[in-house]
Amino acid sequence: MSSEDFRVGDAERRAAMDLLAKHHEAGRLDSFEYEDRRGRAADAVTRRDLDALFADLPALGPDGAELERRAAAEVQPRRTGGKRVRDTVLALTPLIALLLFFRTGQWLWFLLVPVVAILTKGVFDD
């Protein structure tokens, strides 16, 4: 399997659409062709689909690798397991405090919410 057959993600598609906009602003693409290529970039599945959009356009950047650089810069870090655990604990804490309040009648259980938030900040942050 060649690198052209690899699937692309949203970051690569956005980077391709941004580059097409630069070519449109430079006058290399008219409005109709720009919109057509932009739509094809949004629907692209593989690297080959994106490369075809730029086959007749000059490369932007000194080495022609602007698309890869832009896509790599836009890739968002994925949420880690620790962050998900923290979010789950923080979401359940008010419910637990409410249940304990109804069970005991003591309003102090609601102080559990900020305490848990403070305690889990250092434990689960990556």
Side-chain angles (χ1 to χ4, degrees):
M1 174 181 270
S2 73
S3 64
E4 291 180 334
D5 295 324
F6 289 136
R7 297 178 72 87
V8 294
D10 291 336
E12 290 95 349
R13 290 184 198 95
R14 277 193 304 275
M17 287 187 267
D18 290 345
L19 285 176
L20 287 170
K22 286 183 181 181
H23 285 293
H24 175 62
E25 290 168 6
R28 294 184 191 101
L29 299 172
D30 63 33
S31 296
F32 296 111
E33 191 169 16
Y34 167 66
E35 286 300 324
D36 176 57
R37 290 186 191 206
R38 191 170 176 271
R40 289 176 23 212
D43 295 336
V45 175
T46 64
R47 165 66 53 199
R48 184 185 315 269
D49 296 336
L50 290 180
D51 289 345
L53 301 174
F54 298 95
D56 61 339
L57 297 171
L60 295 177
D63 61 356
E66 174 117 358
L67 183 63
E68 287 81 9
R69 280 196 304 275
R70 298 271 320 261
E74 290 185 14
V75 172
Q76 299 293 324
R78 293 179 186 233
R79 296 183 75 175
T80 61
K83 181 75 170 149
R84 280 190 226 124
V85 170
R86 179 175 188 259
D87 289 349
T88 302
V89 169
L90 289 176
L92 292 176
T93 301
L95 297 174
I96 293 168
L98 187 64
L99 290 173
L100 290 170
F101 168 73
F102 284 130
R103 178 87 171 152
T104 65
Q106 297 291 320
W107 66 268
L108 291 174
W109 287 111
F110 291 108
L111 295 176
L112 188 66
V113 176
V115 170
V116 169
I118 291 167
L119 292 176
T120 58
K121 175 88 172 118
V123 175
F124 293 112
D125 280 355
D126 295 321

